């Protein structure tokens, strides 16, 4: 399907966010082929489906680099807990109650929540993989949702089975290309024993998988020991995303950058859970590509507008005053092209550069909260919310139009999610 998005106020993000003004975006076979003014509706023999974007902001879809998507069925189960309380509530009480159908319901609903909010690419950090059936349910939900995703597989089965089961998942569920790829979601040296850590990183290297791990978020001593372990064993040769990265010095960030590491910041729940003050600006200043993530709706909002606003606020409000140079353009970059870079997808999504996949969002500006904005990028970061997400496109396929998700029965998805929530209520 060829599409032509006409007369939108276009924001691109590569190499830096910029307002291009009123322009058109042409999409052919799922790929952006032209961005410019007054593009003709027909190109050769092909007539495009025209999407009128008058009064709309057109920009790349958002990229969430770390979300435990299966937790949609336990939303707000711990809104005011600290991290130890979160771990007890979720992993001691609620996670073991999740059947494969519950993981499916939560993952599907969580992925649709992302699309509804303009998040077109997702790293699903999935640590509810207790059985092969749980894994199959997770991957099926991601594929059926229509989102572009990286499935972060975290083995949760019996001891000794990590290598064989991860190989099985890679070889049987990801044997052909598609919108859903795979990463190794590693427990890492701050959580797991040495044997498992070595298995995770070495297997990821063997299978050609990037690693995403919660690193640097469990206190200063653990951060130092964990990084030293990875360096000592040469594990950082595997592309690794440091999730939460809260307790590193500037010098340690420079070492991470030199090794090719990246960072995923979850500003809302890092503060809410008492993990630490987000290190967004310090990581970037050291050369670490940095991104934003919702992490979990157990204690944080699931939309990127909230994450951008919080990152912007906390960086500019750093007690030392060093974050005052952080701008709304920086926040938007984290949520788009820099997020794509963190996931290894910068050549695929994250901007409107011709040749990239057409993952696009149209935002309404005809609301009191968005009208008459002098700086469109500032308005996206500081004023927009999920209510203005009108149209969403993934790989050229429209998945939301007129403010309504397509291709799914939202009521049926919510009913299944409610059944999961009810099953968890007794825990």
């Amino acid at each position: 399907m060829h599409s032509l998005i006409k007369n939108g106020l276009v924001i691109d993000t590569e190499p830096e966010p910029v307002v291009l003004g009123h322009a058109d975006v042409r999409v052919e076979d799922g790929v952006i082929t032209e961005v410019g003014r007054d593009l003709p509706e027909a190109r050769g023999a092909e007539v495009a489906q025209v999407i009128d974007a008058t009064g709309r902001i057109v920009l790349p879809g958002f990229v969430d680099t770390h979300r435990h998507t299966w937790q949609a069925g336990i939303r707000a189960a711990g809104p005011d807990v600290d991290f130890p309380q979160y771990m007890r509530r979720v992993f001691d009480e609620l996670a073991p109650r999740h059947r494969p159908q519950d993981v499916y319901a939560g993952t599907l609903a969580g992925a649709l929540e992302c699309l509804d909010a303009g998040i077109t690419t997702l790293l699903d950090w999935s640590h509810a993989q207790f059985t092969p059936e749980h894994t199959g349910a997770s991957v099926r939900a991601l594929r059926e949702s229509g989102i572009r995703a990286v499935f972060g597989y975290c083995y949760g089965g019996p001891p000794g089975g990590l290598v064989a089961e991860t190989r099985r998942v890679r070889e049987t569920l990801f044997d052909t290309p598609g919108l859903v790829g795979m990463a190794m979601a590693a427990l890492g040296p701050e959580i797991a024993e040495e044997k498992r850590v070595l298995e995770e990183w070495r297997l990821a290297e063997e299978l050609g998988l990037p690693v995403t791990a919660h690193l640097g978020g469990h206190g200063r001593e653990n951060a130092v020991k964990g990084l030293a372990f990875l360096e000592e064993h040469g594990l950082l040769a595997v592309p690794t995303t440091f999730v939460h990265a809260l307790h590193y010095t500037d010098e340690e960030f420079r070492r991470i950058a030199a090794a090719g590491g990246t960072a995923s910041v979850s500003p809302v729940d890092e503060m809410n859970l008492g993990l630490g003050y987000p290190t967004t600006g310090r990581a970037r200043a050291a050369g670490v590509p940095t991104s934003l993530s919702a992490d979990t709706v157990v204690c944080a909002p699931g939309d990127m507008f909230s994450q951008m606003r919080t990152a912007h606020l906390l960086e500019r409000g750093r007690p030392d005053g060093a974050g005052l140079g952080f701008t709304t353009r920086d926040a938007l970059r984290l949520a788009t092209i820099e997020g794509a870079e963190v996931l290894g997808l910068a050549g695929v999504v994250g901007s409107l550069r011709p040749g990239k996949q057409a993952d696009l969002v149209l935002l309404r500006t005809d609301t009191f909260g968005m009208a008459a904005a002098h700086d469109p990028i500032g308005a996206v970061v500081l004023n927009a919310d999920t209510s203005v997400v009108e149209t969403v496109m993934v790989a050229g396929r429209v998945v939301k139009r007129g403010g309504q998700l397509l291709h799914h029965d939202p009521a049926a998805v919510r009913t299944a999610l409610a059944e999961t929530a009810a099953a968890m209520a007794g825990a």
Side-chain angles (χ1 to χ4, degrees):
M1 169 68 73
H2 292 358
S3 300
L4 185 63
I5 302 169
K6 291 285 292 182
N7 198 39
L9 182 59
V10 177
I11 297 173
D12 199 6
T13 55
E14 190 177 10
E16 298 293 335
V18 61
V19 180
L20 300 181
H22 288 90
D24 307 333
V25 180
R26 189 186 301 281
V27 175
E28 298 178 328
D29 298 323
V31 175
I32 299 168
T33 57
E34 279 186 284
V35 179
R37 295 180 185 273
D38 302 319
L39 300 181
E41 294 182 12
R43 178 160 152 156
E46 296 286 349
V47 177
Q49 164 193 240
V50 176
I51 299 175
D52 184 5
T54 302
R56 306 295 183 261
I57 293 173
V58 181
L59 73 162
F62 300 126
V63 179
D64 183 328
T65 60
H66 156 241
R67 177 188 296 241
H68 307 302
T69 317
W70 63 272
Q71 294 180 357
I74 52 175
R75 184 185 310 277
D80 303 307
V81 297
D82 61 17
F83 184 66
Q85 291 168 332
Y86 165 83
M87 293 296 290
R88 287 194 295 272
R89 179 65 174 146
V90 173
F91 292 101
D92 293 346
E93 300 171 10
L94 296 175
R97 297 175 66 91
H98 275 69
R99 304 159 296 178
Q101 59 263 42
D102 298 314
V103 170
Y104 172 84
T107 302
L108 178 60
L112 292 179
E113 176 185 1
C114 287
L115 290 174
D116 196 39
I119 296 169
T120 53
T121 299
L122 166 70
L123 185 292
D124 177 22
W125 215 108
S126 194
H127 45 11
Q129 303 310 308
F130 310 124
T131 68
E133 290 73 27
H134 286 82
T135 302
S138 299
V139 175
R140 181 163 57 91
L142 290 173
R143 289 187 171 136
E144 290 180 4
S145 74
I147 201 167
R148 186 182 304 277
V150 178
F151 174 61
Y153 176 71
C154 182
Y155 176 73
L162 183 149
V163 172
E165 181 60 12
T166 305
R167 282 202 184 107
R168 183 196 70 82
V169 172
R170 175 69 178 87
E171 293 167 3
T172 63
L173 298 183
F174 296 93
D175 54 339
T176 57
L179 283 179
V180 182
M182 183 178 174
M184 173 75 79
L187 288 184
E190 296 177 34
I191 298 173
E193 60 182 12
E194 178 177 319
K195 178 177 182 294
R196 170 154 180 162
V197 177
L198 294 173
E199 283 183 341
E200 289 172 332
W201 261 264
R202 289 171 179 169
L203 184 59
E205 183 174 31
E206 174 194 326
L207 299 177
L209 302 175
V211 171
T212 174
H214 297 80
L215 294 164
H218 303 93
R220 174 67 185 148
E221 182 178 352
N222 285 329
V224 171
K225 289 181 179 178
L227 181 58
F229 181 88
L230 296 177
E231 291 175 322
E232 176 187 350
H233 292 278
L235 303 183
L236 291 182
V238 180
T240 299
T241 297
F242 287 65
V243 176
H244 297 316
L246 290 159
H247 298 288
Y248 296 118
T249 64
D250 293 348
E251 189 275 331
E252 287 162 344
F253 273 130
R254 286 191 287 271
R255 282 157 45 196
I256 291 168
T262 60
S264 179
V265 176
S266 306
V268 175
D269 73 356
E270 286 172 5
M271 293 296 285
N272 195 23
L273 292 172
L275 293 174
Y277 204 97
T279 53
T280 315
R282 290 202 302 110
R284 297 180 89 220
V288 179
T290 304
S291 58
L292 297 176
S293 65
D295 194 353
T296 172
V297 295
V298 168
C299 56
D303 67 282
M304 192 56 66
F305 301 106
S306 297
Q307 306 305 326
M308 288 191 292
R309 262 194 293 278
T310 304
H312 181 261
L313 168 71
L314 293 177
E315 187 60 26
R316 289 183 64 84
R318 275 169 53 180
D320 57 8
L324 287 174
F326 189 86
T327 68
T328 52
R329 280 160 172 73
D330 292 318
L332 181 60
R333 195 177 197 283
L334 292 175
T336 53
I337 185 62
E338 205 160 335
E341 183 179 352
V342 167
L343 295 186
L345 296 174
V348 180
V349 296
S351 77
L352 302 183
R353 177 171 293 183
K356 288 196 176 185
Q357 291 282 298
D359 291 11
L360 310 173
V361 176
L362 276 63
L363 306 181
R364 294 175 55 187
T365 63
D366 59 347
T367 67
F368 285 114
M370 289 291 286
H374 290 233
D375 182 340
I377 292 176
V380 170
V381 173
L382 298 180
N383 304 115
D385 59 33
T386 58
S387 69
V388 303
V389 180
E390 181 180 73
T391 301
V392 179
M393 180 180 285
V394 178
R397 179 181 185 234
V398 177
V399 297
K400 183 177 183 179
R401 179 186 291 120
Q404 300 297 319
L405 286 173
L406 311 177
H407 316 305
H408 291 273
D409 180 349
V413 175
R414 288 193 296 268
T415 295
L417 192 66
E419 291 172 356
T420 288
M424 301 303 120

